[in-house]
Amino acid sequence: MRTALLQSSGRPGSVAGNLRVLDEAAGRAAAAGAGLIVAPEMFLTGYAIGDEIGRLAEPADGDSADAVAEIACRHGVAVAYGYPERSGDAVFNSAQLISADGTRLANYRKTHLFGCFEQDHFTPGEQTVVQAELGGLRVGIMICYDVEFPENVRAHALAGTDLLLVPTAQMHPFQFVAESVVPVRAFENQLYVAYVNRTGQEGEFEFVGLSTLAGPDGVARVRAGRGEQLVLADADPAFLAASREANPYLKDRRPGLYGSLV
């Protein structure tokens, strides 16, 4: 499945502006043959917007979800995007996957909140593995800091995830995560990882870009630079099956030795 990575910080504070950015990028992605476009963490509203997070937060089935569904249908491409989700009094740092026919397939709430900023504004999610079937692949979702916990990604591998979507807001000086950690996660768990970052200065944060689609061989199929960019690469089920057959990591595990980890 050809996958488009939208590396952009959009228009922080403007939901309407970000929907326009997404609409334009989805059109370009579809024209290039993509079946899926992935936008970064908190793309719908912006990340470093302080108390505006609470004001702009919406339910998973809110007006903006309907607008994203319209974009998906208009261009015939599935869309995954980050946004602040309101559920009752709680606000979650969430990511949602919507199919090319506008169906809401999966909604994930970030389980590991990074730093005081996120801990002050969000409630942590409690469900580690969220998946959906898309384009012949089992697609999973997590967000940014979540991928830095090996247990998280291994849980996806054991649940059969083929393509792991990771909308992110990776900031300086942690670019080694995009450059090194993400390809290793893909290799050690025998899956594809689409790691899609924000870019540029936003409030106190400097986002480093470097979005990538890493394969189960640990090789980046594509890597963006530091600026606004739309890049595309393929997640190939046949290559994934061959790689899993050749790589013994998951087969050679000895879970009985790992009880002390939890």
Side-chain angles (χ1 to χ4, degrees), residues 52-177:
E52 288 290 277
I53 290 172
R55 185 180 71 82
L56 295 175
E58 296 185 27
D61 60 353
D63 291 344
S64 292
D66 290 342
V68 174
E70 290 177 7
I71 291 171
C73 288
R74 182 161 57 252
H75 298 293
V77 62
V79 180
Y81 66 101
Y83 73 107
E85 178 193 354
R86 179 169 294 284
S87 179
D89 293 331
V91 175
F92 298 92
N93 184 337
S94 295
Q96 184 152 227
L97 174 63
I98 295 179
S99 73
D101 67 4
T103 302
R104 293 174 50 244
L105 296 178
N107 188 71
Y108 171 79
R109 295 168 173 175
K110 189 174 186 178
T111 53
H112 295 75
L113 301 179
F114 178 78
C116 295
F117 178 82
E118 291 191 8
Q119 292 167 12
D120 287 345
H121 288 93
F122 299 109
T123 298
E126 296 295 334
Q127 186 174 355
T128 301
V129 177
V130 172
Q131 298 170 310
E133 300 296 323
L134 182 70
L137 296 170
R138 184 170 295 178
V139 176
I141 309 173
M142 62 176 53
I143 298 173
C144 196
Y145 193 40
D146 291 328
V147 80
E148 298 175 40
F149 293 81
E151 302 90 342
N152 262 10
V153 187
R154 180 52 53 87
H156 270 275
L158 297 177
T161 294
D162 300 314
L163 171 60
L164 182 60
L165 311 182
V166 189
T168 191
Q170 184 63 66
M171 56 199 70
H172 178 81
F174 305 111
Q175 49 265 32
F176 66 88
V177 175

